[in-house]
Amino acid sequence: MAIHAFLPYASPMNPVEIGDAITDLAQQPFDAAEFPFQFLEAFGNKKTAIDRLRKGNTNPGGLVEGVTLANLLTTEPRPRNPMLADAMKRVGVVERSGRGVDKIYRGMLTFGRPEPDYSRTDRGNVILQLSTMEVDEAFLHLVLEQGPSLPIDSLIALSVLRGQKRVSADELAQHIHRDAAQARRTLEKLLEAGVVQAHGQTRGRNYTLSPGVYRSQGDQAAYTRQAGFSPLQHEQMILSYAQQHGRIRRSEAADLCRLTVTQASKLLRRLANEGKLAMVGERRGAHYTLGSEAQI
């Protein structure tokens, strides 16, 4: 049970008394199950209040003002009781950094488990669900190879790529609670480190784990599946589709080749300019049929 659930019960004390109480508490043998109740006792709370908490009756409370599910990883620490938090920091009971959420994420993701799930949190309660799935040893090895200074954003990016196989900067931004520009910088740093591979340019650019990562895990075929096909293969797939079905639309080309709609449009126009396809209709209603120069 989180300490903040007990704070509303703490008795009023001045800074000196708070410091003395925490110092005495820190000198006692630590018992994880008993610590919350020892904490309350150290602050002079009534036995009836402590007994009530032992029975599972807690004081509900939502996220601190200014903290949302969209900024958990990036917002500055916001203690519910600043004076108490400062006193606890001064005597070394808690860290001054206040980055507990980062540690929870790091502890879960390092071992290949899903991100901590705060989705059930509401205005009255902070609800955190942690997965107990088996450790992914291959992913753990990958993370350890990056060294202990691997930024939390980079760890999240690797975890997302492990699960989704392919990600864009816009998609990663939602996971790291930052904007797309910062997400792109995170992915490009991993690209420089040889851990991820980039596909496409500018707005259509997306990323997969690198061939080296898949090789180290003995799964080279998985990289080929995720990386997709070469431009020449895209061309042949589109021409083959147009031959088999009589025509091909922009959306169908995008889905067939795993391209963005913009990328598919450019490819179809190029093939039309080369005479391999013939454009029929205009704008959204347009489709393409085999051209005179098509070679299947």
Side-chain angles (χ1 to χ4, degrees):
M1 189 175 297
I3 281 295
H4 68 69
F6 297 91
L7 294 183
Y9 292 92
S11 304
M13 300 172 73
N14 63 46
V16 175
E17 291 172 327
I18 291 175
D20 290 342
I22 295 175
T23 300
D24 292 340
L25 183 63
Q27 293 174 352
Q28 298 180 30
F30 180 76
D31 183 318
E34 284 297 310
F35 178 76
F37 307 111
Q38 293 172 342
F39 179 90
L40 290 177
E41 184 177 352
F43 281 82
N45 285 267
K46 295 180 179 180
K47 185 176 183 301
T48 53
I50 297 175
D51 288 342
R52 187 164 64 252
L53 290 171
R54 284 183 182 278
K55 294 177 182 178
N57 298 318
T58 61
N59 188 33
L63 294 169
V64 178
E65 183 178 358
V67 179
T68 69
L69 296 183
N71 68 7
L72 273 174
L73 286 165
T74 55
T75 188
E76 289 298 314
R78 301 167 188 265
R80 295 178 186 272
N81 187 325
M83 185 169 64
L84 176 59
D86 186 64
M88 294 179 74
K89 292 172 186 175
R90 289 178 185 276
V91 297
V93 174
V94 299
E95 291 186 2
R96 189 168 292 275
S97 63
R99 293 257 55 96
V101 174
D102 289 21
K103 287 190 172 183
I104 296 173
Y105 267 76
R106 191 176 293 278
M108 294 296 293
L109 301 185
T110 296
F111 294 96
R113 296 190 173 106
E115 295 179 10
D117 182 6
Y118 288 88
S119 62
R120 294 178 58 199
T121 293
D122 55 33
R123 294 182 62 183
N125 300 276
V126 177
I127 301 175
L128 168 61
Q129 293 180 297
L130 302 176
S131 172
T132 57
M133 66 179 289
E134 292 294 323
V135 172
D136 184 330
E137 295 185 6
F139 186 78
L140 173 60
H141 182 70
L142 170 64
V143 172
L144 294 178
E145 283 185 331
Q146 310 314 308
S149 60
L150 181 69
I152 186 66
D153 288 357
S154 298
L155 176 57
I156 293 174
L158 292 177
S159 176
V160 172
L161 285 168
R162 170 186 171 275
Q164 296 182 192
K165 309 305 182 185
R166 180 182 291 261
V167 69
S168 67
D170 287 335
E171 292 168 335
L172 179 61
Q174 299 176 30
H175 290 270
I176 64 176
H177 301 172
R178 298 183 187 276
D179 59 29
Q182 178 60 50
R184 187 172 297 106
R185 286 193 289 270
T186 294
L187 289 164
E188 290 295 322
K189 286 181 180 178
L190 290 172
L191 175 63
E192 293 174 5
V195 183
V196 306
Q197 183 80 21
H199 306 274
Q201 300 294 329
T202 61
R203 293 182 62 183
R205 192 173 179 85
N206 52 60
Y207 304 79
T208 63
L209 291 173
S210 70
V213 171
Y214 281 103
R215 278 197 301 272
S216 68
Q217 297 177 0
D219 197 5
Q220 294 92 322
Y223 172 78
T224 300
R225 288 195 297 270
Q226 299 310 320
F229 303 94
S230 69
L232 180 60
Q233 288 171 314
H234 286 158
E235 177 179 320
Q236 291 301 312
M237 290 166 67
I238 286 175
L239 295 178
S240 178
Y241 187 100
Q243 180 187 47
Q244 294 169 5
H245 300 284
R247 65 182 187 180
I248 186 169
R249 296 181 182 277
R250 182 178 60 178
S251 59
E252 293 168 335
D255 183 60
L256 177 67
C257 299
R258 299 185 66 177
L259 300 172
T260 66
V261 172
T262 300
Q263 290 171 331
S265 293
K266 290 180 179 179
L267 177 55
L268 291 170
R269 285 198 300 269
R270 179 175 67 78
L271 292 175
N273 291 336
E274 295 174 356
K276 297 176 181 178
L277 288 176
M279 182 176 176
V280 180
E282 297 181 356
R283 299 182 180 179
R284 292 186 178 181
H287 63 267
Y288 296 79
T289 60
L290 279 181
S292 58
E293 299 299 319
Q295 296 181 2
I296 305 298

